[in-house]
Amino acid sequence: MSYARKNALIATIVWTLVFGGLIALVLGPGVDRFAAPDQPIWRMLTAAIILLGFLLNAWLGWRSKKGKKLGELDERDDAIARRASEVTLIVVAMVVFLTTLTLYETHRGSGAVPIGWLYLLAYGTVALVSLVHAVATLMVDGNGPADG
């Protein structure tokens, strides 16, 4: 297994856990309770989970930089990362677009979306970008050349 594929696999596993944890932390207590002023623990836990994901990304970035110096990563890996970024942009844009439209349609009558949903959209987008990029990297790498 290549160095880049190992990094993508690690990121996929961790960001799947982060994304699932975010969903559980927001939907578990309910979006209203999650955002309640007297319940800051839920928001702190979601921030902590995202922080762990960012620390993982920093470690993977350091590992990739080290891998380039050692010759473990090359132009092919850069091409795969570029193609994965293109896929990530499209997928995340579609998910955010559809989510916001769904929130609008489901809360049109009340005239306001509960703030807990907006927390989930914000934190979820951060986690989704990293998760989709890792999965796209694995898929592009598995499908062969990324340059054409």
Side-chain angles (χ1 to χ4, degrees):
M1 183 179 293
S2 74
Y3 205 76
R5 188 177 284 205
K6 285 179 191 174
N7 283 355
L9 186 59
I10 292 167
T12 298
I13 292 167
V14 170
W15 282 104
T16 298
L17 295 173
V18 168
F19 192 66
L22 291 175
I23 291 171
L25 282 172
V26 174
L27 299 182
V31 293
D32 292 327
R33 184 168 178 221
F34 173 85
D38 62 337
Q39 298 288 325
I41 188 70
W42 299 110
R43 293 181 300 281
M44 292 297 291
L45 287 172
T46 57
I49 287 175
I50 289 290
L51 176 62
L52 291 174
F54 281 151
L55 291 174
L56 167 83
N57 279 356
W59 176 73
L60 288 174
W62 171 81
R63 185 176 144 99
S64 294
K65 186 175 181 180
K66 183 179 167 189
K68 280 190 180 205
K69 285 182 182 176
L70 296 174
E72 296 286 339
L73 298 171
D74 57 18
E75 314 75 51
R76 181 182 177 278
D77 296 308
D78 290 339
I80 289 169
R82 278 191 304 276
R83 181 70 179 127
S85 293
E86 293 169 1
V87 170
T88 300
L89 176 64
I90 294 167
V91 170
V92 172
M94 287 175 34
V95 168
V96 169
F97 179 77
L98 293 173
T99 301
T100 55
L101 282 180
T102 301
L103 287 172
Y104 172 78
E105 289 297 329
T106 57
H107 295 88
R108 185 184 340 180
S110 67
V113 174
I115 197 167
W117 285 114
L118 301 179
Y119 270 102
L120 183 57
L121 182 61
Y123 283 126
T125 300
V126 169
L128 192 62
V129 166
S130 296
L131 175 59
V132 171
H133 191 272
V135 170
T137 299
L138 290 173
M139 292 176 65
V140 170
D141 190 27
N143 286 334
D147 56 359

